[in-house]
Amino acid sequence: MSAVGEKLSGLSLGSDPPAGGHGAFSKVKRKKDFKRMERVNGRWINVLQGLELHTGIFTPEEQKKIVDCIVQFQEKGREGLLRERTYSEPRKWMRGKGRVTIQFGCCYNYAMDKQGNPPGIIRDEEVDPIPPLLKMMIKRMVEWDVLPHTCVPNSCIVNIYDKDDCIPPHIDHHDFLRPFSTVSFLSECRILFGTELKVLGPGDFSGSSAISLPAGSVLILNGNGADVAKHCVPAVPTKRISITFRKMDEKKLPFKFTPDPDLSNLRSLSYASKGLMPQPIQNHGSPVPPPRTPVLVQKQLAGPNSNRKEEQSNSIRSPYRLIEDDFPPLGSASARPPKKAVNALKH
């Protein structure tokens, strides 16, 4: 296990009741009425049908923990401490080109690579597994009715945008099931949708609909919003991180793929009837303010020996306990910077 994995393996998620019914869960907002009528194959349809925007799922403190985790993985990738196809940092040769990607769970190729692999999941390649903190995010989204328990993600890709980085117009590959989700961090940005998205210049696009994605928001893509309308992210004005969670088609699973017991048997919790609220995501390796309200009885992973116990066991009895078109093909450029660049990073 990498140093990052060791540091993050002591995570826990519990339940505590909202004070007077006014917990963080009561602040969650869900927008599901997106509408844009466009003519497709001779008939008018709502091309945004199936899109949902959820806010208030992750607190500012949780967002910071997640961002810090991603930054650590980026550092490990630059040092060559992740599996080869996990981390990719192409050279920036023009505006909108060269964003950093970190993929977990499966190796996905955006375009034909040097080995002749077509776009899609490369079944004979391995990348690092989904890290514990990101699995906690999946659990939160399933429990809070953001993602259905019938489509629990088993892969994800992290996009790290610097200023002017973008994602060109596309429809996500059908090696992945619907729905899938994108969580935004650090800054708000726009995502464009439409059956006809125009490329006006490097990182500059136009479309019939624009949706703002606040930091911490979760965008669900399903239905027409995932399969009829294309989407893109124009050049961002400031640094941004997004994490896209997706479930692989069983026929496209990597050959060495094994289901993660931490992501099995997840179910939505009935908060309205039980009056329950999950405790914020915590990293026991760093101080976390105590909850304002008493924590309900629920077994949690905690303690200094949790890392050792997790490494000794590959199965978890309880589903509520967790351990650990114009795209460059992943791995087409060196994922590791030249030695001089690595040395420069250390000083």
Side-chain angles (χ1 to χ4, degrees), residues 23-32 34 52-60 62-63 140-141 144-146 182-184 188 211-220:
F25 184 74
S26 64
K27 298 179 181 179
V28 173
K29 296 181 180 179
R30 310 173 192 266
K31 180 175 174 57
K32 303 182 180 183
F34 294 100
E52 301 178 9
L53 184 64
H54 301 252
T55 55
I57 304 298
F58 303 104
T59 67
E62 290 171 341
Q63 293 177 46
R140 169 72 59 80
M141 291 189 288
W144 284 27
D145 292 313
V146 177
T182 294
V183 191
S184 300
E188 185 168 359
I211 297 175
S212 291
L213 303 178
S217 66
V218 182
L219 179 68
I220 303 298

Side-chain angles (χ1 to χ4, degrees), residues 166-182:
C166 70
I167 289 186
H170 68 286
I171 289 178
D172 279 52
H173 203 287
H174 280 82
D175 278 2
F176 301 99
L177 304 182
R178 274 57 170 157
F180 55 93
S181 63
T182 294

Side-chain angles (χ1 to χ4, degrees), residues 93-104:
W93 54 276
M94 66 178 293
R95 184 176 188 261
K97 303 290 185 180
R99 73 185 184 283
V100 171
T101 58
I102 310 174
Q103 52 182 345
F104 300 106

Side-chain angles (χ1 to χ4, degrees), residues 7 23 27 53 69 82 87 99 101 105-106 131 137 167 169-170 174 225 235 249 256-257 270 277 296 333 337 341:
K7 184 174 182 179
K27 298 179 181 179
L53 184 64
C69 171
L82 301 177
Y87 183 81
R99 73 185 184 283
T101 58
C106 75
M137 294 175 64
I167 289 186
H170 68 286
H174 280 82
D249 185 323
K256 295 184 180 181
F257 176 82
S270 179
M277 233 302 287
L296 295 182

Side-chain angles (χ1 to χ4, degrees), residues 113-339:
D113 63 17
K114 293 180 180 179
Q115 289 73 41
N117 295 305
I121 295 173
I122 303 178
R123 304 184 70 186
D124 58 357
E125 284 275 4
E126 288 189 81
V127 296
D128 286 294
I130 300 176
L133 191 58
L134 273 59
K135 289 194 286 187
M136 300 296 283
M137 294 175 64
I138 293 172
K139 180 174 181 287
R140 169 72 59 80
M141 291 189 288
V142 172
E143 289 186 344
W144 284 27
D145 292 313
V146 177
L147 285 173
H149 72 270
T150 54
C151 196
V152 176
N154 52 16
S155 71
C156 70
I157 184 166
V158 178
N159 285 288
I160 303 175
Y161 302 75
D162 284 326
K163 182 179 181 297
D164 288 337
D165 285 347
C166 70
I167 289 186
H170 68 286
I171 289 178
D172 279 52
H173 203 287
H174 280 82
D175 278 2
F176 301 99
L177 304 182
R178 274 57 170 157
F180 55 93
S181 63
T182 294
V183 191
S184 300
F185 297 98
L186 290 181
S187 62
E188 185 168 359
C189 81
R190 293 186 311 141
I191 183 169
L192 304 182
F193 285 88
T195 54
E196 296 294 334
L197 297 180
K198 297 180 180 180
V199 179
L200 305 178
D204 191 10
F205 316 114
S206 66
S208 59
S209 300
I211 297 175
S212 291
L213 303 178
S217 66
V218 182
L219 179 68
I220 303 298
L221 292 92
N222 200 9
N224 294 341
D227 294 325
V228 176
K230 295 179 181 179
H231 59 274
C232 67
V233 175
V236 296
T238 185
K239 190 175 182 67
R240 173 181 184 254
I241 290 176
S242 70
I243 307 177
T244 298
F245 294 95
R246 300 181 289 200
K247 182 175 183 177
M248 294 176 277
D249 185 323
E250 290 189 1
K251 297 178 181 178
K252 302 293 185 178
L253 292 173
F255 294 125
K256 295 184 180 181
F257 176 82
T258 56
D260 191 326
D262 295 340
L263 300 176
S264 300
N265 302 318
L266 297 182
R267 292 291 185 272
S268 168
L269 301 180
S270 179
Y271 297 99
S273 61
K274 295 181 180 180
L276 301 180
M277 233 302 287
Q279 180 182 343
I281 295 173
Q282 297 184 11
N283 183 340
H284 290 283
S286 58
V288 177
R292 297 180 180 179
T293 53
V295 178
L296 295 182
V297 177
Q298 179 176 347
K299 195 169 185 179
Q300 303 178 20
L301 272 177
N305 296 323
S306 60
N307 291 358
R308 186 174 302 171
K309 292 179 181 179
E310 290 161 7
E311 292 177 318
Q312 293 174 346
S313 174
N314 291 324
S315 62
I316 302 299
R317 294 180 181 178
S318 169
Y320 301 109
R321 295 178 59 192
L322 301 180
I323 308 178
E324 309 218 24
D325 346 340
D326 185 27
F327 285 95
L330 289 175
S332 62
S334 175
R336 305 177 187 178
K339 291 183 178 180

